[in-house]
Structures are given as C-alpha cells and as structure tokens.
Amino acid sequence: MAILPEGFALPPPPYLVTLLVAAAVVARAALRRRPAVTTERVLALAPWMALGSALHVLYVVGALPTLARPLAGTPAVYVTVAIAAVGAWTAADAVLDPARVARVLALGGGGLAAVAVAGVLAVGAAAGTLSPVVPAASLAVAAVVAAAVWAGLTRVVPEVRATGALGVFAVFAHVFDGVSTAAGIDILGFGERTPLSRLIVDFAAGLPTAPVLGSGWLFVVVKIAIASLVVWLFADLVETDPTEARLLLGFVAAVGFGPATHNVLLFTISAPA
C-alpha cells in the first residue's frame, strides 16, 4: 500500500542541495538568535502557510516559471516556505522592536500570500473555471463547526483553555481541512491524494450511510477527534514548557490549515465535476 501522497517527489539534485544548505543556514541562525516564541508570532505564520498552499496550487496547474517550479512541489514547497518564514522571523527579531515582530511577520507573509492567491485566481479567470461558491461555503461551515467543537471541548475538558488562540487555530485548521475535503469529494467530485485519508473516505463510502451522508463525513469526524485530542494533550505542556507547546501547536495547525487552504484554492479555480 502506498504511504506517501500522490505527486510526492524530491526536486532535482541542484535544487535539493540548495534547499538543504539554505535550511541549515537559517536553522543555525535561528538557534543562535533564539527569537522569542509567543502566541502572536506563531499565529503570524498562518499567512506563510497560505503562501505555501497557493504556490503548490500554481505548481499543480503548471502556472509557475520553469526555474521556480521545482521549489513548489511536494515536499519541496514545505521547506521553501519554512526557510522564508523562519528567516523572516529571525531577521525581524534581530532588527525590530519585539512588540512589532509578529505584525511585520504577518504582513510580510500576508503580502506574499496575497500575490500568490491573486495568481491562482488569475489562472481560473483566464480558463473560465472560477467556481468559488462551494469553497467559500466550506470555509463558512468549517468556522461554525470549529466554534461548536471548541465550545464543547472547553466545557468537557476546561483545561484546554490554556492553549488559548493557538488551540482554537489548531481545531479550526483541522475542521477546515476535513470540511473542505468532504466538500471536494462529495460535491465537486475530487479524489483524495493522501493514502491514509483515502482509506478513511473509502471506508465511509462502503457504509450504509453513504447514500445519504456521502463518503467525506467520517474524515471530518476523524479530523475533529484528532485535533481535540492533540489540543487536550498539549494543555499541560503549555504550563510546563510554553515555548515547545506553542511551536508544536503551530505545527499541528499547519498540518491542517495548509492542506485546507490548498483545497479551497484548487476547488475555486476548477469547474465542478
């Protein structure tokens, strides 16, 4: 059985070496600088996550320049954006007032993400395939479901409140991924590229509920369960090691928010099946 998602491939050797060297340089600089890890700064990485998603959509539709294309495939795009984001964070921490770092980091990533998203929309407009209704609806539904999940979670397990805004973001990110995936499968006719996720979807498709609920609902439930469990497990860590907890919660959120943003952008420029 395949483990890696479809399309997973390392970039050509020159690009791979360049990425590894750049990652090592940025990691060394970050470790030496050790910029403060606050909730605001980790949340400021969200636009950078969206940037990576938009770049990968441009890669999928073949809209990137030839020289840049190898940097936006899977998994190269994760490393490319991480290098840029961590490098920007470290540089901002070195030259700016600490109170301004999160704002500048968010604005920098947001500006780049806006350009990339505009490129994605331009591709859809040129092809005449812009279809934003279902993707926008999936975002709205995800926001409502995530709010309900967070309200229920804090009532049942009050200690998760310690994770604060990062806990909320992690829950929303995975609900968003689940809902957007379900919408793509059951409404738009897309398939699932990740083998484990595809197993969950295929299992749901074989249940008696499939004719009524479709095959994506179980993936939403699994995503909600995973996000809730992780936030609950990290609640104590926030108290004992807040720096590690914030970084881990940011990573967990990225694993959901990145694919979800990729989903809605790709669906937006793809005509419904």
Side-chain angles (χ1 to χ4, degrees):
M1 181 187 72
I3 298 176
L4 299 176
E6 294 177 14
F8 187 99
L10 295 177
Y15 287 87
L16 180 60
V17 171
T18 300
L19 283 174
L20 292 176
V21 170
V25 170
V26 169
R28 183 172 184 272
L31 288 173
R32 291 184 63 181
R33 178 70 191 175
R34 293 191 178 277
V37 178
T38 65
T39 294
E40 292 76 17
R41 293 184 179 190
V42 177
L43 288 173
L45 296 177
W48 295 87
M49 301 172 196
L51 169 64
S53 301
L55 289 175
H56 188 59
V57 171
L58 291 171
Y59 168 87
V60 169
V61 299
L64 286 175
T66 302
L67 286 177
R69 183 170 168 78
L71 298 175
T74 304
V77 68
Y78 306 128
V79 182
T80 300
V81 174
I83 290 169
V86 175
W89 185 352
T90 304
D93 186 78
V95 301
L96 296 176
D97 181 276
R100 297 181 56 204
V101 172
R103 184 183 308 166
V104 170
L105 188 60
L107 288 174
L112 292 172
V115 172
V117 170
V120 172
L121 297 178
V123 170
T129 56
L130 280 179
S131 50
V133 175
V134 172
S138 69
L139 174 58
V141 170
V144 173
V145 173
V149 170
W150 181 255
L153 189 60
T154 53
R155 180 178 292 273
V156 175
V157 191
E159 54 265 33
V160 301
R161 292 192 180 95
T163 61
L166 281 174
V168 175
F169 181 42
V171 169
F172 166 74
H174 284 272
V175 172
F176 187 22
D177 186 24
V179 171
S180 62
T181 298
I185 291 170
D186 291 330
I187 299 175
L188 300 178
F190 281 83
E192 174 55 50
R193 297 196 309 165
T194 305
L196 182 57
S197 301
R198 189 161 56 240
L199 280 176
I200 296 171
V201 171
D202 290 345
F203 177 77
L207 296 176
T209 55
V212 177
L213 299 179
S215 56
W217 68 270
L218 184 59
F219 186 67
V220 178
V221 172
V222 170
K223 278 291 199 173
I224 291 173
I226 290 174
S228 300
L229 177 62
V230 169
V231 170
W232 174 46
L233 292 175
F234 283 172
D236 289 338
L237 188 61
V238 170
E239 303 291 342
T240 58
D241 192 342
T243 294
E244 182 180 355
R246 289 168 187 153
L247 288 174
L248 288 173
L249 280 169
F251 175 76
V252 169
V255 172
F257 187 69
T261 305
H262 176 272
N263 284 346
V264 296
L265 289 175
L266 185 60
F267 300 163
T268 296
I269 62 169
S270 303

Short mmCIF file of all heavy atoms in Angstrom, two decimals, residues 125-196:
data_model
loop_
_atom_site.label_atom_id
_atom_site.label_comp_id
_atom_site.label_asym_id
_atom_site.label_seq_id
_atom_site.Cartn_x
_atom_site.Cartn_y
_atom_site.Cartn_z
N ALA A 125 -9.56 32.62 -13.74
CA ALA A 125 -10.28 33.59 -14.57
C ALA A 125 -9.93 33.43 -16.04
O ALA A 125 -10.81 33.49 -16.91
CB ALA A 125 -9.97 35.00 -14.09
N ALA A 126 -8.65 33.20 -16.31
CA ALA A 126 -8.22 33.04 -17.70
C ALA A 126 -8.81 31.79 -18.33
O ALA A 126 -9.13 31.76 -19.52
CB ALA A 126 -6.69 33.00 -17.77
N ALA A 127 -8.97 30.75 -17.51
CA ALA A 127 -9.52 29.49 -18.02
C ALA A 127 -11.04 29.47 -18.01
O ALA A 127 -11.66 28.54 -18.55
CB ALA A 127 -8.98 28.32 -17.21
N GLY A 128 -11.64 30.46 -17.36
CA GLY A 128 -13.10 30.49 -17.25
C GLY A 128 -13.65 29.44 -16.32
O GLY A 128 -14.79 28.99 -16.50
N THR A 129 -12.86 29.04 -15.32
CA THR A 129 -13.29 27.96 -14.43
C THR A 129 -13.44 28.41 -12.98
O THR A 129 -13.49 27.56 -12.07
CB THR A 129 -12.27 26.80 -14.48
OG1 THR A 129 -10.96 27.30 -14.16
CG2 THR A 129 -12.25 26.15 -15.85
N LEU A 130 -13.52 29.70 -12.74
CA LEU A 130 -13.70 30.16 -11.37
C LEU A 130 -15.04 29.66 -10.82
O LEU A 130 -16.08 29.88 -11.43
CB LEU A 130 -13.66 31.68 -11.31
CG LEU A 130 -12.28 32.35 -11.33
CD1 LEU A 130 -12.44 33.87 -11.29
CD2 LEU A 130 -11.43 31.88 -10.17
N SER A 131 -14.99 29.00 -9.67
CA SER A 131 -16.21 28.47 -9.05
C SER A 131 -16.05 28.56 -7.53
O SER A 131 -15.78 27.57 -6.86
CB SER A 131 -16.43 27.01 -9.48
OG SER A 131 -15.25 26.25 -9.28
N PRO A 132 -16.24 29.75 -6.97
CA PRO A 132 -15.93 29.98 -5.55
C PRO A 132 -17.02 29.61 -4.56
O PRO A 132 -16.78 29.65 -3.36
CB PRO A 132 -15.67 31.49 -5.51
CG PRO A 132 -16.57 32.03 -6.57
CD PRO A 132 -16.59 31.00 -7.66
N VAL A 133 -18.21 29.26 -5.02
CA VAL A 133 -19.34 29.10 -4.10
C VAL A 133 -19.10 27.97 -3.10
O VAL A 133 -19.20 28.16 -1.87
CB VAL A 133 -20.65 28.87 -4.88
CG1 VAL A 133 -21.79 28.59 -3.90
CG2 VAL A 133 -20.98 30.08 -5.73
N VAL A 134 -18.80 26.78 -3.59
CA VAL A 134 -18.61 25.64 -2.68
C VAL A 134 -17.40 25.84 -1.78
O VAL A 134 -17.48 25.59 -0.56
CB VAL A 134 -18.51 24.32 -3.47
CG1 VAL A 134 -18.12 23.16 -2.55
CG2 VAL A 134 -19.83 24.03 -4.17
N PRO A 135 -16.24 26.29 -2.29
CA PRO A 135 -15.11 26.53 -1.40
C PRO A 135 -15.42 27.57 -0.31
O PRO A 135 -15.05 27.37 0.85
CB PRO A 135 -14.02 27.04 -2.35
CG PRO A 135 -14.36 26.43 -3.66
CD PRO A 135 -15.85 26.43 -3.71
N ALA A 136 -16.11 28.65 -0.69
CA ALA A 136 -16.46 29.67 0.30
C ALA A 136 -17.43 29.09 1.34
O ALA A 136 -17.32 29.37 2.54
CB ALA A 136 -17.08 30.88 -0.38
N ALA A 137 -18.37 28.28 0.88
CA ALA A 137 -19.32 27.66 1.81
C ALA A 137 -18.62 26.71 2.76
O ALA A 137 -18.96 26.64 3.95
CB ALA A 137 -20.40 26.92 1.02
N SER A 138 -17.62 25.99 2.27
CA SER A 138 -16.89 25.05 3.14
C SER A 138 -16.13 25.81 4.22
O SER A 138 -16.03 25.35 5.36
CB SER A 138 -15.94 24.18 2.32
OG SER A 138 -14.85 24.92 1.79
N LEU A 139 -15.60 26.98 3.88
CA LEU A 139 -14.92 27.81 4.88
C LEU A 139 -15.90 28.28 5.95
O LEU A 139 -15.61 28.22 7.16
CB LEU A 139 -14.27 29.01 4.20
CG LEU A 139 -13.64 30.07 5.11
CD1 LEU A 139 -12.57 29.46 6.00
CD2 LEU A 139 -13.06 31.21 4.28
N ALA A 140 -17.07 28.73 5.52
CA ALA A 140 -18.08 29.20 6.47
C ALA A 140 -18.55 28.06 7.38
O ALA A 140 -18.67 28.23 8.60
CB ALA A 140 -19.26 29.81 5.72
N VAL A 141 -18.81 26.91 6.79
CA VAL A 141 -19.25 25.75 7.59
C VAL A 141 -18.16 25.34 8.57
O VAL A 141 -18.45 25.04 9.74
CB VAL A 141 -19.62 24.57 6.66
CG1 VAL A 141 -19.84 23.30 7.47
CG2 VAL A 141 -20.87 24.90 5.85
N ALA A 142 -16.93 25.34 8.11
CA ALA A 142 -15.82 24.96 8.99
C ALA A 142 -15.71 25.90 10.19
O ALA A 142 -15.45 25.46 11.31
CB ALA A 142 -14.51 24.96 8.20
N ALA A 143 -15.91 27.20 9.96
CA ALA A 143 -15.84 28.16 11.05
C ALA A 143 -16.92 27.89 12.10
O ALA A 143 -16.66 27.92 13.31
CB ALA A 143 -15.97 29.57 10.50
N VAL A 144 -18.13 27.59 11.63
CA VAL A 144 -19.23 27.31 12.55
C VAL A 144 -18.98 26.01 13.32
O VAL A 144 -19.15 25.96 14.55
CB VAL A 144 -20.56 27.23 11.78
CG1 VAL A 144 -21.69 26.76 12.70
CG2 VAL A 144 -20.91 28.59 11.18
N VAL A 145 -18.57 24.97 12.60
CA VAL A 145 -18.31 23.68 13.24
C VAL A 145 -17.17 23.80 14.24
O VAL A 145 -17.23 23.26 15.36
CB VAL A 145 -18.01 22.59 12.19
CG1 VAL A 145 -17.58 21.30 12.87
CG2 VAL A 145 -19.24 22.35 11.32
N ALA A 146 -16.11 24.49 13.87
CA ALA A 146 -14.96 24.64 14.76
C ALA A 146 -15.35 25.40 16.03
O ALA A 146 -14.90 25.04 17.13
CB ALA A 146 -13.83 25.38 14.04
N ALA A 147 -16.18 26.41 15.89
CA ALA A 147 -16.64 27.15 17.07
C ALA A 147 -17.44 26.24 18.00
O ALA A 147 -17.28 26.28 19.23
CB ALA A 147 -17.49 28.35 16.64
N ALA A 148 -18.29 25.40 17.41
CA ALA A 148 -19.07 24.46 18.22
C ALA A 148 -18.18 23.43 18.89
O ALA A 148 -18.37 23.09 20.07
CB ALA A 148 -20.12 23.77 17.34
N VAL A 149 -17.19 22.93 18.15
CA VAL A 149 -16.26 21.94 18.71
C VAL A 149 -15.48 22.55 19.87
O VAL A 149 -15.33 21.94 20.93
CB VAL A 149 -15.30 21.42 17.63
CG1 VAL A 149 -14.18 20.60 18.26
CG2 VAL A 149 -16.05 20.58 16.61
N TRP A 150 -14.99 23.77 19.68
CA TRP A 150 -14.21 24.42 20.74
C TRP A 150 -15.08 24.68 21.98
O TRP A 150 -14.63 24.46 23.11
CB TRP A 150 -13.61 25.73 20.23
CG TRP A 150 -12.78 26.42 21.26
CD1 TRP A 150 -13.11 27.52 22.00
CD2 TRP A 150 -11.47 26.03 21.70
NE1 TRP A 150 -12.09 27.85 22.86
CE2 TRP A 150 -11.07 26.96 22.70
CE3 TRP A 150 -10.61 25.01 21.34
CZ2 TRP A 150 -9.84 26.88 23.34
CZ3 TRP A 150 -9.36 24.92 21.98
CH2 TRP A 150 -8.99 25.85 22.97
N ALA A 151 -16.31 25.11 21.77
CA ALA A 151 -17.21 25.35 22.89
C ALA A 151 -17.46 24.06 23.66
O ALA A 151 -17.43 24.04 24.90
CB ALA A 151 -18.52 25.94 22.39
N GLY A 152 -17.72 22.98 22.92
CA GLY A 152 -17.95 21.70 23.59
C GLY A 152 -16.70 21.18 24.28
O GLY A 152 -16.76 20.63 25.40
N LEU A 153 -15.55 21.35 23.64
CA LEU A 153 -14.30 20.86 24.21
C LEU A 153 -13.95 21.58 25.50
O LEU A 153 -13.54 20.95 26.49
CB LEU A 153 -13.17 21.04 23.17
CG LEU A 153 -11.82 20.39 23.47
CD1 LEU A 153 -11.97 18.88 23.61
CD2 LEU A 153 -10.84 20.72 22.34
N THR A 154 -14.11 22.89 25.52
CA THR A 154 -13.78 23.64 26.73
C THR A 154 -14.78 23.36 27.86
O THR A 154 -14.44 23.51 29.03
CB THR A 154 -13.77 25.16 26.44
OG1 THR A 154 -15.01 25.55 25.82
CG2 THR A 154 -12.61 25.51 25.53
N ARG A 155 -15.98 22.94 27.50
CA ARG A 155 -16.95 22.59 28.53
C ARG A 155 -16.63 21.22 29.14
O ARG A 155 -16.70 21.02 30.36
CB ARG A 155 -18.36 22.58 27.95
CG ARG A 155 -19.45 22.23 28.95
CD ARG A 155 -20.82 22.30 28.31
NE ARG A 155 -21.17 23.67 27.97
CZ ARG A 155 -21.76 24.51 28.80
NH1 ARG A 155 -22.06 24.13 30.04
NH2 ARG A 155 -22.07 25.73 28.41
N VAL A 156 -16.25 20.27 28.27
CA VAL A 156 -15.96 18.91 28.74
C VAL A 156 -14.57 18.84 29.38
O VAL A 156 -14.37 18.16 30.40
CB VAL A 156 -16.05 17.91 27.57
CG1 VAL A 156 -15.64 16.51 28.02
CG2 VAL A 156 -17.47 17.90 27.02
N VAL A 157 -13.61 19.52 28.78
CA VAL A 157 -12.23 19.49 29.28
C VAL A 157 -11.77 20.95 29.47
O VAL A 157 -11.07 21.50 28.60
CB VAL A 157 -11.29 18.76 28.31
CG1 VAL A 157 -9.94 18.49 28.96
CG2 VAL A 157 -11.90 17.46 27.81
N PRO A 158 -12.13 21.59 30.56
CA PRO A 158 -11.85 23.03 30.74
C PRO A 158 -10.37 23.39 30.62
O PRO A 158 -10.05 24.52 30.23
CB PRO A 158 -12.37 23.31 32.16
CG PRO A 158 -13.40 22.25 32.40
CD PRO A 158 -12.89 21.03 31.70
N GLU A 159 -9.48 22.45 30.92
CA GLU A 159 -8.05 22.79 30.90
C GLU A 159 -7.53 23.13 29.51
O GLU A 159 -6.46 23.73 29.36
CB GLU A 159 -7.22 21.65 31.49
CG GLU A 159 -7.42 20.29 30.88
CD GLU A 159 -8.43 19.45 31.66
OE1 GLU A 159 -9.39 20.04 32.20
OE2 GLU A 159 -8.25 18.21 31.72
N VAL A 160 -8.27 22.78 28.44
CA VAL A 160 -7.79 23.10 27.09
C VAL A 160 -7.79 24.61 26.85
O VAL A 160 -7.15 25.08 25.89
CB VAL A 160 -8.61 22.39 26.00
CG1 VAL A 160 -8.56 20.89 26.17
CG2 VAL A 160 -10.04 22.90 25.96
N ARG A 161 -8.48 25.35 27.70
CA ARG A 161 -8.46 26.81 27.54
C ARG A 161 -7.05 27.36 27.66
O ARG A 161 -6.75 28.45 27.14
CB ARG A 161 -9.35 27.47 28.60
CG ARG A 161 -10.84 27.20 28.43
CD ARG A 161 -11.66 28.13 29.33
NE ARG A 161 -13.09 27.88 29.20
CZ ARG A 161 -13.79 27.09 29.99
NH1 ARG A 161 -13.20 26.46 30.99
NH2 ARG A 161 -15.09 26.92 29.80
N ALA A 162 -6.18 26.62 28.33
CA ALA A 162 -4.79 27.07 28.49
C ALA A 162 -4.07 27.21 27.16
O ALA A 162 -3.09 27.95 27.05
CB ALA A 162 -4.03 26.10 29.40
N THR A 163 -4.53 26.49 26.13
CA THR A 163 -3.87 26.58 24.82
C THR A 163 -4.22 27.87 24.09
O THR A 163 -3.56 28.22 23.11
CB THR A 163 -4.24 25.38 23.93
OG1 THR A 163 -5.66 25.36 23.71
CG2 THR A 163 -3.81 24.07 24.58
N GLY A 164 -5.27 28.54 24.53
CA GLY A 164 -5.61 29.85 24.01
C GLY A 164 -5.90 29.89 22.52
O GLY A 164 -6.46 28.95 21.93
N ALA A 165 -5.46 30.99 21.89
CA ALA A 165 -5.74 31.20 20.48
C ALA A 165 -5.11 30.15 19.59
O ALA A 165 -5.65 29.80 18.54
CB ALA A 165 -5.26 32.59 20.06
N LEU A 166 -3.97 29.61 20.01
CA LEU A 166 -3.33 28.56 19.21
C LEU A 166 -4.14 27.27 19.23
O LEU A 166 -4.20 26.55 18.23
CB LEU A 166 -1.91 28.30 19.70
CG LEU A 166 -0.86 29.32 19.26
CD1 LEU A 166 0.47 29.04 19.94
CD2 LEU A 166 -0.71 29.30 17.76
N GLY A 167 -4.76 26.98 20.35
CA GLY A 167 -5.64 25.82 20.42
C GLY A 167 -6.84 26.00 19.51
O GLY A 167 -7.23 25.08 18.78
N VAL A 168 -7.41 27.19 19.53
CA VAL A 168 -8.55 27.49 18.64
C VAL A 168 -8.13 27.34 17.18
O VAL A 168 -8.84 26.75 16.37
CB VAL A 168 -9.07 28.91 18.90
CG1 VAL A 168 -10.17 29.27 17.89
CG2 VAL A 168 -9.61 29.03 20.32
N PHE A 169 -6.96 27.88 16.85
CA PHE A 169 -6.48 27.82 15.47
C PHE A 169 -6.24 26.38 15.03
O PHE A 169 -6.58 25.99 13.91
CB PHE A 169 -5.19 28.64 15.34
CG PHE A 169 -4.62 28.67 13.94
CD1 PHE A 169 -5.45 28.82 12.83
CD2 PHE A 169 -3.26 28.54 13.74
CE1 PHE A 169 -4.92 28.85 11.54
CE2 PHE A 169 -2.72 28.58 12.46
CZ PHE A 169 -3.55 28.72 11.36
N ALA A 170 -5.67 25.56 15.92
CA ALA A 170 -5.41 24.16 15.58
C ALA A 170 -6.72 23.42 15.31
O ALA A 170 -6.82 22.64 14.35
CB ALA A 170 -4.63 23.48 16.69
N VAL A 171 -7.72 23.65 16.16
CA VAL A 171 -9.01 22.99 15.95
C VAL A 171 -9.64 23.46 14.65
O VAL A 171 -10.10 22.65 13.83
CB VAL A 171 -9.96 23.28 17.14
CG1 VAL A 171 -11.37 22.83 16.82
CG2 VAL A 171 -9.45 22.57 18.40
N PHE A 172 -9.66 24.77 14.43
CA PHE A 172 -10.24 25.29 13.19
C PHE A 172 -9.51 24.74 11.96
O PHE A 172 -10.14 24.36 10.97
CB PHE A 172 -10.18 26.82 13.16
CG PHE A 172 -10.45 27.39 11.80
CD1 PHE A 172 -11.74 27.40 11.29
CD2 PHE A 172 -9.42 27.89 11.01
CE1 PHE A 172 -12.00 27.90 10.00
CE2 PHE A 172 -9.66 28.38 9.75
CZ PHE A 172 -10.95 28.39 9.24
N ALA A 173 -8.19 24.70 12.02
CA ALA A 173 -7.41 24.26 10.86
C ALA A 173 -7.79 22.85 10.44
O ALA A 173 -7.95 22.55 9.24
CB ALA A 173 -5.91 24.33 11.18
N HIS A 174 -7.96 21.96 11.41
CA HIS A 174 -8.27 20.57 11.06
C HIS A 174 -9.74 20.38 10.69
O HIS A 174 -10.07 19.55 9.83
CB HIS A 174 -7.84 19.64 12.20
CG HIS A 174 -6.36 19.43 12.22
ND1 HIS A 174 -5.73 18.44 11.49
CD2 HIS A 174 -5.37 20.12 12.82
CE1 HIS A 174 -4.43 18.51 11.66
NE2 HIS A 174 -4.18 19.53 12.47
N VAL A 175 -10.61 21.14 11.32
CA VAL A 175 -12.01 21.11 10.89
C VAL A 175 -12.12 21.63 9.46
O VAL A 175 -12.84 21.06 8.62
CB VAL A 175 -12.90 21.94 11.84
CG1 VAL A 175 -14.31 22.06 11.28
CG2 VAL A 175 -12.95 21.31 13.23
N PHE A 176 -11.40 22.70 9.16
CA PHE A 176 -11.38 23.28 7.83
C PHE A 176 -10.88 22.26 6.80
O PHE A 176 -11.45 22.11 5.72
CB PHE A 176 -10.49 24.52 7.85
CG PHE A 176 -10.48 25.33 6.59
CD1 PHE A 176 -11.52 25.28 5.66
CD2 PHE A 176 -9.42 26.20 6.33
CE1 PHE A 176 -11.50 26.06 4.51
CE2 PHE A 176 -9.39 26.97 5.18
CZ PHE A 176 -10.42 26.89 4.27
N ASP A 177 -9.82 21.54 7.16
CA ASP A 177 -9.30 20.52 6.26
C ASP A 177 -10.34 19.42 6.04
O ASP A 177 -10.58 18.99 4.90
CB ASP A 177 -8.03 19.92 6.86
CG ASP A 177 -7.34 18.95 5.91
OD1 ASP A 177 -7.53 19.05 4.68
OD2 ASP A 177 -6.58 18.08 6.40
N GLY A 178 -10.99 18.99 7.12
CA GLY A 178 -11.98 17.93 6.99
C GLY A 178 -13.18 18.35 6.16
O GLY A 178 -13.61 17.63 5.25
N VAL A 179 -13.72 19.53 6.44
CA VAL A 179 -14.91 20.01 5.74
C VAL A 179 -14.60 20.28 4.27
O VAL A 179 -15.39 19.91 3.38
CB VAL A 179 -15.48 21.27 6.41
CG1 VAL A 179 -16.58 21.89 5.57
CG2 VAL A 179 -16.01 20.93 7.81
N SER A 180 -13.46 20.90 3.99
CA SER A 180 -13.13 21.21 2.60
C SER A 180 -12.88 19.92 1.81
O SER A 180 -13.26 19.83 0.63
CB SER A 180 -11.91 22.13 2.53
OG SER A 180 -10.76 21.52 3.08
N THR A 181 -12.25 18.95 2.45
CA THR A 181 -12.03 17.67 1.78
C THR A 181 -13.36 16.98 1.48
O THR A 181 -13.57 16.46 0.37
CB THR A 181 -11.15 16.75 2.65
OG1 THR A 181 -9.87 17.36 2.83
CG2 THR A 181 -10.96 15.39 1.99
N ALA A 182 -14.25 16.97 2.46
CA ALA A 182 -15.56 16.34 2.26
C ALA A 182 -16.33 17.04 1.14
O ALA A 182 -16.97 16.38 0.31
CB ALA A 182 -16.36 16.38 3.56
N ALA A 183 -16.27 18.37 1.10
CA ALA A 183 -16.96 19.11 0.04
C ALA A 183 -16.37 18.78 -1.32
O ALA A 183 -17.10 18.59 -2.30
CB ALA A 183 -16.86 20.61 0.30
N GLY A 184 -15.05 18.67 -1.38
CA GLY A 184 -14.42 18.34 -2.65
C GLY A 184 -14.79 16.96 -3.15
O GLY A 184 -15.00 16.75 -4.35
N ILE A 185 -14.91 16.02 -2.23
CA ILE A 185 -15.22 14.64 -2.61
C ILE A 185 -16.70 14.46 -2.94
O ILE A 185 -17.07 13.92 -3.99
CB ILE A 185 -14.81 13.68 -1.48
CG1 ILE A 185 -13.28 13.64 -1.36
CG2 ILE A 185 -15.36 12.27 -1.72
CD1 ILE A 185 -12.79 12.90 -0.13
N ASP A 186 -17.56 14.93 -2.04
CA ASP A 186 -18.99 14.64 -2.18
C ASP A 186 -19.75 15.61 -3.07
O ASP A 186 -20.81 15.25 -3.62
CB ASP A 186 -19.64 14.62 -0.78
CG ASP A 186 -19.19 13.44 0.05
OD1 ASP A 186 -18.88 12.39 -0.55
OD2 ASP A 186 -19.13 13.57 1.29
N ILE A 187 -19.23 16.82 -3.24
CA ILE A 187 -19.95 17.81 -4.04
C ILE A 187 -19.27 18.06 -5.37
O ILE A 187 -19.92 18.12 -6.42
CB ILE A 187 -20.10 19.14 -3.26
CG1 ILE A 187 -20.90 18.91 -1.96
CG2 ILE A 187 -20.79 20.20 -4.12
CD1 ILE A 187 -21.00 20.13 -1.08
N LEU A 188 -17.95 18.18 -5.34
CA LEU A 188 -17.22 18.57 -6.54
C LEU A 188 -16.61 17.40 -7.30
O LEU A 188 -16.13 17.57 -8.42
CB LEU A 188 -16.12 19.59 -6.19
CG LEU A 188 -16.62 20.89 -5.55
CD1 LEU A 188 -15.43 21.79 -5.20
CD2 LEU A 188 -17.57 21.62 -6.49
N GLY A 189 -16.60 16.23 -6.69
CA GLY A 189 -16.10 15.05 -7.39
C GLY A 189 -14.59 14.89 -7.42
O GLY A 189 -14.05 14.17 -8.25
N PHE A 190 -13.89 15.55 -6.49
CA PHE A 190 -12.44 15.38 -6.41
C PHE A 190 -12.11 14.09 -5.65
O PHE A 190 -12.93 13.55 -4.90
CB PHE A 190 -11.80 16.57 -5.68
CG PHE A 190 -11.65 17.79 -6.54
CD1 PHE A 190 -12.71 18.68 -6.70
CD2 PHE A 190 -10.46 18.06 -7.19
CE1 PHE A 190 -12.58 19.81 -7.49
CE2 PHE A 190 -10.31 19.19 -7.99
CZ PHE A 190 -11.39 20.06 -8.13
N GLY A 191 -10.88 13.61 -5.81
CA GLY A 191 -10.40 12.46 -5.07
C GLY A 191 -9.47 12.90 -3.96
O GLY A 191 -9.09 14.06 -3.86
N GLU A 192 -9.09 11.97 -3.11
CA GLU A 192 -8.17 12.24 -2.00
C GLU A 192 -6.79 11.69 -2.36
O GLU A 192 -6.66 10.53 -2.73
CB GLU A 192 -8.69 11.59 -0.71
CG GLU A 192 -7.76 11.69 0.47
CD GLU A 192 -7.34 13.11 0.78
OE1 GLU A 192 -8.22 13.99 0.88
OE2 GLU A 192 -6.12 13.34 0.92
N ARG A 193 -5.75 12.54 -2.23
CA ARG A 193 -4.41 12.14 -2.67
C ARG A 193 -3.61 11.43 -1.59
O ARG A 193 -2.69 10.68 -1.89
CB ARG A 193 -3.62 13.37 -3.12
CG ARG A 193 -4.21 14.09 -4.32
CD ARG A 193 -3.21 15.02 -4.95
NE ARG A 193 -2.59 15.94 -4.00
CZ ARG A 193 -1.49 16.64 -4.26
NH1 ARG A 193 -0.89 16.54 -5.42
NH2 ARG A 193 -0.99 17.47 -3.35
N THR A 194 -3.95 11.65 -0.32
CA THR A 194 -3.18 11.05 0.77
C THR A 194 -3.72 9.66 1.07
O THR A 194 -4.91 9.50 1.33
CB THR A 194 -3.27 11.92 2.03
OG1 THR A 194 -2.85 13.25 1.71
CG2 THR A 194 -2.39 11.36 3.14
N PRO A 195 -2.86 8.63 1.04
CA PRO A 195 -3.34 7.24 1.19
C PRO A 195 -4.15 6.99 2.46
O PRO A 195 -5.20 6.35 2.40
CB PRO A 195 -2.04 6.44 1.19
CG PRO A 195 -1.10 7.26 0.37
CD PRO A 195 -1.43 8.69 0.71
N LEU A 196 -3.70 7.46 3.62
CA LEU A 196 -4.42 7.20 4.85
C LEU A 196 -5.79 7.87 4.84
O LEU A 196 -6.80 7.27 5.23
CB LEU A 196 -3.61 7.69 6.05
CG LEU A 196 -4.24 7.43 7.44
CD1 LEU A 196 -4.52 5.94 7.63
CD2 LEU A 196 -3.33 7.96 8.54
#
